[in-house]
Amino acid sequence: MKLHEYQSKDLLERYGVPVPKGRVAYSDAEAVQVAKEMGGKLVVKAQVLMGGRGKAGGVRLFDSPEGVGEFVKDLIGKRLVSVQNPEGLVVEKVLIAEQIEIEREFYVAVLLDRDNRQPLVMLSAEGGMEIEQVAASKPQAIARLLVDPAWGPDDFQLRALVKRANLPPEVSSQMASLIKRLCKAYLESDAEMIEINPCAWTSGKKLIAADAKVSIDDNALFRHKSYQEGSTAAVADPIEAEAAKQGIAYVRLGGDIGIIGNGAGLVMCSLDEVTAAGGKPANFLDVGGGAQADRVKACVELILMDSNVRGLMINIFGGITRGEEVAKGILDAFQSLKVKIPVVARIEGTGAKQGLELLSGSSIVPAGTMQEAAAKIVQLAKA
Ligand code: GDP
Ligand code: MN
């Protein structure tokens, strides 16, 4: 679960990471009030769960509280679009923070390195701009340190890391201590990622997290009840939010072939087969074991919420999930939703025969194998 910048900074502050003072506002009137109370030079930042807000026009600096109201009035309700998030997100709140005088910008992050199965610290003297570009064109400009999840990093490792990143010597000790705190925050809050970009070096010779992105492992949210509240609202995609509400494992993938299967592995295979057949999967959706007709119907409804979907592939290997229950669910969904897109169903295993019989009178195209289903749906969706 992604946390907003202000939530991320609250978390980091509890671990002693320096962050600028700031407060959240939900309207222009509230923003004006907050800005007046804070006074001085300010920065106003859209609180949306995406990167690249600066370039998208969601961050603005102010010499005084004057002008804050107008900017926020324009910003709230607006859809911000960035390279990282082409669909964009609507701004509902802003962070008003004291403006810091930045002399240099660094990049620092802790994330899970799946290859090494350990947390990884990444540190670069080239912060502020898109780190993906630095990683692609100058990978040597990012210093890395694998962290033992039981102990956290040792001080000598941190000193060596900071040295490898070629940071100015005057920054070294503050950076080492900041990273140590980040690692503690990362491990104790079951984070998947903490990213500080920019980690700012101020004219007053202080290191401070000018931006912060934290993502918590969804499977650990039961240990962090305070974040869990309103967690579905914090899911950026509206269909994923609806799926989470209904307890359905759905991930939007951006293509146009909707996919329903039972079992995560079978669904992953279906995605691969659709891709191999020249199609682009719209989603991952696992109906789960023993799904009844009403759940299958709910899954079809979810997939149809995505207006890009041009075809639907259903891939069921019956075990506890019964083929005829799936067929009933599909037919129900078809009747109530007036589905107009082509649908191909491959049903195998328990109840397959009865299921296919049920579907035989409908426009749903049967397929004998998963490969055949993928090839057919890609072809039909194109037609
Ligand atoms: P992002 O674009 O979504 O990553 O949002 P950031 O919080 O990183 O803000 C974008 C840029 O605004 C940063 O790279 C900074 O250069 C600038 N910025 C943000 N806060 C401040 C601040 O307090 N003072 C100054 N001078 N610049 C800031
Ligand atoms: Mn940033």
Side-chain angles (χ1 to χ4, degrees), residues 5 45 50-54 59 107 128-129 195-199 210-213:
E5 176 188 3
K45 311 172 84 174
M50 67 184 213
R53 293 165 303 163
V59 176
Y107 176 91
M129 54 183 155
E195 184 186 65
I196 313 292
N197 189 29
C199 187
D211 187 14
K213 289 186 173 64

Side-chain angles (χ1 to χ4, degrees), residues 34 93 105 117 143 225 243 293 302 329 333 354:
V34 169
K93 52 198 163 198
E105 300 190 326
R117 300 173 191 174
K225 292 277 193 288
L302 265 183
Q354 299 92 307

Side-chain angles (χ1 to χ4, degrees), residues 5 9 12 17-20 45 100 178 182 196-200 207-212:
E5 176 188 3
K9 284 177 168 170
L12 295 180
V17 175
V19 298
K45 311 172 84 174
I100 46 185
L178 184 143
L182 282 188
I196 313 292
N197 189 29
C199 187
L207 200 58
I208 184 163
D211 187 14

Side-chain angles (χ1 to χ4, degrees), residues 46 48-59 80-85 128-130 132 195 197 211 213:
V48 281
L49 295 168
M50 67 184 213
R53 293 165 303 163
K55 284 189 181 152
V59 176
L80 275 197
V81 178
S82 73
V83 185
Q84 290 93 328
N85 196 323
M129 54 183 155
E130 276 130 53
E132 291 84 357
E195 184 186 65
N197 189 29
D211 187 14
K213 289 186 173 64

Side-chain angles (χ1 to χ4, degrees), residues 26-317:
Y26 292 83
S27 70
D28 52 314
E30 196 183 355
V32 169
Q33 177 78 20
V34 169
K36 275 193 190 142
E37 282 170 24
M38 288 179 67
K41 289 183 156 195
L42 300 167
V43 55
V44 177
K45 311 172 84 174
Q47 296 299 288
V48 281
L49 295 168
M50 67 184 213
R53 293 165 303 163
K55 284 189 181 152
V59 176
R60 193 177 291 178
L61 305 179
F62 292 88
D63 287 337
S64 73
E66 206 173 310
V68 168
E70 252 170 88
F71 178 61
V72 174
K73 190 170 183 182
D74 189 48
L75 196 56
I76 287 186
K78 195 164 120 181
R79 185 174 288 270
L80 275 197
V81 178
S82 73
V83 185
Q84 290 93 328
N85 196 323
E87 276 193 23
L89 288 169
V90 176
V91 181
E92 288 170 355
K93 52 198 163 198
V94 297
L95 173 66
I96 299 172
E98 61 174 338
Q99 193 188 120
I100 46 185
E101 267 186 57
I102 302 182
E103 206 167 276
R104 276 199 68 175
E105 300 190 326
F106 306 114
Y107 176 91
V108 51
V110 189
L111 44 87
L112 180 64
D113 181 341
R114 291 176 197 275
D115 290 340
N116 290 294
R117 300 173 191 174
Q118 274 180 289
L120 174 74
V121 179
M122 302 214 293
L123 174 63
S124 177
E126 314 212 8
M129 54 183 155
E130 276 130 53
I131 195 69
E132 291 84 357
Q133 269 174 24
V134 178
S137 61
K138 271 172 95 183
Q140 72 282 5
I142 301 175
R144 291 154 207 263
L145 172 69
L146 282 170
V147 172
D148 185 321
W151 303 106
D154 280 312
D155 290 347
F156 73 90
Q157 293 179 306
L158 291 172
R159 282 196 294 274
L161 171 76
V162 169
K163 195 147 195 242
R164 285 201 298 282
N166 280 321
L167 297 192
E170 57 177 355
V171 179
S172 301
S173 67
Q174 285 186 47
M175 184 60 93
S177 130
L178 184 143
I179 295 175
K180 190 165 189 167
R181 291 163 195 268
L182 282 188
C183 287
K184 192 166 177 2
Y186 179 94
L187 293 169
E188 289 185 5
S189 59
D190 295 302
E192 287 176 324
M193 187 207 62
I194 298 183
E195 184 186 65
I196 313 292
N197 189 29
C199 187
W201 181 247
T202 67
S203 48
K205 311 291 170 207
K206 288 270 180 298
L207 200 58
I208 184 163
D211 187 14
K213 289 186 173 64
V214 173
S215 172
I216 307 282
D217 183 346
D218 288 342
N219 297 307
L221 281 178
F222 72 97
R223 295 207 283 219
H224 307 281
K225 292 277 193 288
S226 60
Y227 302 125
Q228 209 174 6
E229 281 162 29
S231 68
T232 49
V235 174
D237 184 277
I239 308 180
E240 289 184 2
E242 180 58 32
K245 216 187 282 172
Q246 299 189 32
I248 296 172
Y250 170 100
V251 180
R252 196 162 177 182
L253 298 172
D256 58 4
I257 309 280
I259 291 175
I260 295 179
N262 64 318
L266 189 67
V267 179
M268 297 290 260
C269 288
S270 312
L271 302 179
D272 287 348
E273 290 298 343
V274 164
T275 307
K280 286 207 169 73
N283 66 276
F284 170 100
L285 192 158
D286 176 6
V287 286
Q292 299 289 304
D294 53 349
R295 185 168 172 92
V296 176
K297 183 180 167 202
C299 291
V300 177
E301 279 175 18
L302 265 183
I303 286 187
L304 295 178
M305 278 174 73
D306 180 350
S307 59
N308 295 327
V309 170
R310 301 264 169 277
L312 173 59
M313 167 173 161
I314 294 164
N315 188 8
I316 301 294
F317 195 96

